[in-house]
Amino acid sequence: DTEVTQTPKHLVMGMTNKKSLKCEQHMGHRAMYWYKQKAKKPPELMFVYSYEKLSINESVPSRFSPECPNSSLLNLHLHALQPEDSALYLCASSPGDGTDTQYFGPGTRLTVL
Amino acid sequence: GNSVTQMEGPVTLSEEAFLTINCTYTATGYPSLFWYVQYPGEGLQLLLKATKADDKGSNKGFEATYRKETTSFHLEKGSVQVSDSAVYFCALKFTGGGNKLTFGTGTQLKVEL
């Protein structure tokens, strides 16, 4: 099973709202990632968690706040977003054992009004 | 730095035609190489990978060979189907390199009847 699940599938929010994106994997992977993908572009890395600790933050604005409650779950908390933050947000996971093939979820389509 | 260059799209083919999508890379050392596919409205799916020179990755009729001498990882399929219409991303990663994937810009493939 190489499945990464993400909820919700679609999200519309206002600039003053607070919302969260959720990602889950049950493959025993120890590394999890958040990417942002704009239309017709490749994914851009935002955050990496390795063994439940934040290991990479690609200078992401503080209105995006990641959280890794346990090795299977990854959240992305959203607050005071801007319309330009509208995008497809992808979660991925990898074993974390050096082989590091990343497996992606289906994404959450976010629209900020 | 590391980079991946893919051929510009869209590539439009008739069903049963032969497919080649070119991918070349620039990297210091010997990265792992990947092809991901993204169907409309979905996340990325790992299509195939190769971790060392002369390795051939294959899946669902697609193949790519890791060519160190030409720093290339071209994607090929002998007979495409309409269902292969998608965006294809070439990517590289160094083992232990912060788990970061470097993506190409993506190549859109359209297969017509």
Side-chain angles (χ1 to χ4, degrees):
Chain A
D1 182 11
T2 56
E3 187 177 28
V4 176
T5 59
Q6 290 187 243
T7 53
K9 190 170 177 62
H10 299 277
L11 179 63
V12 179
M13 60 186 292
M15 289 190 285
T16 58
N17 292 157
K18 288 185 180 180
K19 297 287 184 181
S20 297
L21 310 184
K22 180 180 174 182
C23 173
E24 194 165 6
Q25 57 86 15
H26 294 289
M27 296 178 278
H29 288 177
R30 304 312 301 267
M32 297 186 76
Y33 311 76
W34 279 115
Y35 288 85
K36 174 183 178 180
Q37 186 181 27
K38 301 286 273 186
K40 300 187 186 300
K41 298 289 187 183
E44 299 173 11
L45 183 65
M46 300 174 72
F47 303 103
V48 180
Y49 273 83
S50 181
Y51 290 81
E52 301 165 45
K53 294 191 187 307
L54 183 65
S55 61
I56 295 176
N57 176 342
E58 291 287 280
S59 302
V60 178
S62 60
R63 57 186 184 268
F64 296 91
S65 176
E67 178 195 21
C68 188
N70 60 58
S71 60
S72 300
L73 281 175
L74 185 66
N75 299 320
L76 186 63
H77 302 298
L78 314 173
H79 174 56
L81 294 193
Q82 304 298 309
E84 59 265 28
D85 297 321
S86 298
L88 182 67
Y89 287 84
L90 294 164
C91 175
S93 71
S94 68
D97 60 358
T99 59
D100 290 336
T101 297
Q102 292 184 26
Y103 297 91
F104 285 79
T108 293
R109 177 72 61 187
L110 174 67
T111 302
V112 182
L113 300 176
Chain B
N2 302 326
S3 66
V4 176
T5 301
Q6 287 183 237
M7 61 190 291
E8 292 280 334
V11 173
T12 302
L13 295 173
S14 298
E15 199 169 46
E16 299 184 4
F18 184 86
L19 169 70
T20 299
I21 299 179
N22 290 338
C23 171
T24 57
Y25 67 89
T26 301
T28 51
Y30 305 106
S32 296
L33 300 172
F34 304 86
W35 277 102
Y36 283 89
V37 58
Q38 187 171 30
Y39 298 100
E42 297 186 11
L44 273 68
Q45 297 179 25
L46 177 66
L47 184 58
L48 52 84
K49 68 176 183 179
T51 57
K52 61 183 187 297
D54 300 325
D55 268 2
K56 176 186 282 189
S58 62
N59 185 27
K60 300 181 182 179
F62 290 90
E63 293 182 342
T65 301
Y66 190 139
R67 301 286 189 199
K68 187 178 69 174
E69 62 277 11
T70 55
T71 61
S72 65
F73 193 53
H74 304 320
L75 182 68
E76 297 182 335
K77 186 177 185 183
S79 175
V80 293
Q81 306 299 310
V82 171
S83 57
D84 294 325
S85 298
V87 178
Y88 292 80
F89 291 98
C90 185
L92 67 79
K93 186 198 164 303
F94 284 96
T95 299
N99 296 345
K100 286 179 139 182
L101 274 173
T102 299
F103 285 96
T105 52
T107 301
Q108 184 175 9
L109 171 65
K110 297 181 181 178
V111 181
E112 301 173 335
L113 290 171

